[in-house]
Amino acid sequence: MPVNSLFFKTLGLSKQLLTRASGTSRLSILIYHRVLDKADAFHTEIPDINAFSWQMELLHRYYNVIPLSEALEQLQTNQLQPESACVTFDDGYADNYLNALPVLEQWNIPATFFVASGFLDGGMMWNDIVLEGIRHHYENHLDLTPVGLKRYEMGDVAQRRQLAEHLLADIKYLSSTQRDEVTSFIKEQTLQRLPDNLMMTTEQLQALHASGMEIGGHTVNHPILSSLSQAEAEHEIYQGRQQLSSRLDGAAIRYFAYPNGKPGQDYNIDHAEIVKRLGFEGAVSTSYGAATSNSDFYQLPRFTPWDKTPLKFTMRLMKNTLIPYH
């Protein structure tokens, strides 16, 4: 999508006014998960390469996009520059390397990739089993009564997508045993073989790191930490970091992202203390807002820029800058 010069001039003026209104420097941290080859009616919320390209162009032109490490250092010393932003990715999808990295390099944008180590080299996250299982299911209904849920009707792509969103919300907070039972059952009901190349390989992870991008921890199996015992949660956090570091020749894994990331629901202050005690230098949540020097560096806010047009995308960025989170 082309972005014309009038838009850029209007944007520049709007940003100056909003910066004066905010009265302080605040850090916006963007969350991405995937960048698709092309638009997909089953994944309408995920940007394709074209959309991601104009988003990164806007960031490059009008924001001070810096590495997470530099941003935290500037926050700690009250030297954060106006309109500063960081780009982050969660989970470890292969298209992070295949599609996102070339665009990031084109616009000279650093990013941090939080990788769930247990899904590297052919693994598949539970949510993708649900999504792909429903997408490829051969019937117009899905009977999940054998695993304690309902019988669901589904037809076209939109209906299947709606059902997938509904099931993801229902399954997310089940125990890991129950969740695995449901996802395994969905997989068994799908006659078509599900993809085995959604997540990065070790070689892709290494190449991403070698390009200068930061690799962060995201546990081994992407559990909801609040559903685990303290010992189990610490094991997930620690082993995830160790497994990533070993694949990267001992490189330091300095930052962490909480799976799902809602404070008080998906993780709590005890988990933040574990992350701090294990030696991470900072951690990010999924709470909306912008970070300031007063923010908890182990619960930094982030937000997802899901808008489909440059104007709405940029207005959301500017609005986010006005919402401090402590």
Side-chain angles (χ1 to χ4, degrees), residues 17-282:
L17 293 174
L18 281 173
T19 299
R20 292 170 188 167
S22 68
T24 188
S25 294
R26 293 170 178 163
L27 175 69
S28 291
I29 307 176
L30 284 68
I31 314 169
Y32 289 93
H33 290 82
R34 302 188 60 187
V35 175
L36 303 176
D37 297 335
K38 58 184 179 180
D40 185 342
F42 200 73
H43 292 295
T44 56
E45 81 289 358
I46 302 177
D48 62 8
I49 295 175
N50 289 333
F52 186 66
S53 294
W54 63 253
Q55 291 173 6
M56 293 304 101
E57 180 183 0
L58 287 174
L59 281 176
H60 172 78
R61 285 177 178 260
Y62 286 101
Y63 281 81
N64 174 40
V65 190
I66 54 179
L68 186 59
S69 57
E70 186 175 329
L72 297 191
E73 181 178 343
Q74 290 180 10
L75 280 176
Q76 287 175 326
T77 57
N78 290 308
Q79 294 180 329
L80 185 73
Q81 299 301 306
E83 288 84 47
S84 289
C86 295
V87 174
T88 67
F89 282 79
D90 283 7
D91 299 338
Y93 286 96
D95 54 41
N96 293 183
Y97 170 74
L98 297 171
N99 296 339
L101 179 59
V103 175
L104 294 169
E105 291 181 325
Q106 175 187 357
W107 295 109
N108 194 31
I109 290 177
T112 300
F113 294 80
F114 296 103
V115 177
S117 61
F119 302 105
L120 293 169
D121 299 312
M124 192 172 187
M125 298 185 71
W126 72 267
N127 56 294
D128 289 312
I129 295 175
V130 174
L131 287 165
E132 296 301 323
I134 291 175
R135 184 211 285 261
H136 296 296
H137 193 62
Y138 64 100
E139 294 184 300
N140 287 330
H141 69 271
L142 180 62
D143 186 3
L144 297 181
T145 55
V147 287
L149 297 176
K150 300 176 182 178
R151 186 182 190 274
Y152 304 92
E153 299 298 325
M154 58 184 184
D156 60 18
V157 171
Q159 291 174 321
R160 288 172 182 254
R161 176 64 202 180
Q162 186 176 21
L163 173 59
E165 292 176 352
H166 173 75
L167 284 178
L168 289 175
D170 283 351
I171 297 170
K172 182 180 294 183
Y173 293 105
L174 294 177
S175 69
S176 58
T177 301
Q178 291 174 304
R179 190 179 71 185
D180 291 344
E181 181 183 8
V182 174
T183 54
S184 295
F185 185 82
I186 291 174
K187 187 175 182 179
E188 290 170 2
Q189 304 309 303
T190 305
L191 297 181
Q192 183 172 328
R193 182 178 178 181
L194 299 185
D196 60 1
N197 61 349
L198 290 181
M199 311 309 289
M200 277 192 281
T201 65
T202 294
E203 291 73 20
Q204 290 169 335
L205 177 74
Q206 292 168 340
L208 190 65
H209 182 255
S211 74
M213 300 298 169
E214 184 90 37
I215 305 300
H218 200 41
T219 71
V220 178
N221 298 301
H222 202 277
I224 301 296
L225 292 174
S226 59
S227 70
L228 305 179
S229 69
Q230 290 292 92
E232 290 170 332
E234 181 165 346
H235 179 80
E236 279 280 344
I237 297 167
Y238 175 78
Q239 287 300 324
R241 182 178 65 178
Q242 293 300 102
Q243 290 176 14
L244 291 174
S245 180
S246 67
R247 284 174 165 85
L248 298 174
D249 296 324
I253 307 300
R254 300 186 292 171
Y255 306 104
F256 181 78
Y258 301 99
N260 216 51
K262 295 180 182 178
Q265 182 173 341
D266 303 320
Y267 77 94
N268 56 47
I269 191 63
D270 291 335
H271 301 113
E273 289 298 322
I274 290 172
V275 171
K276 184 175 182 179
R277 176 163 47 78
L278 289 176
F280 288 94
E281 297 175 27

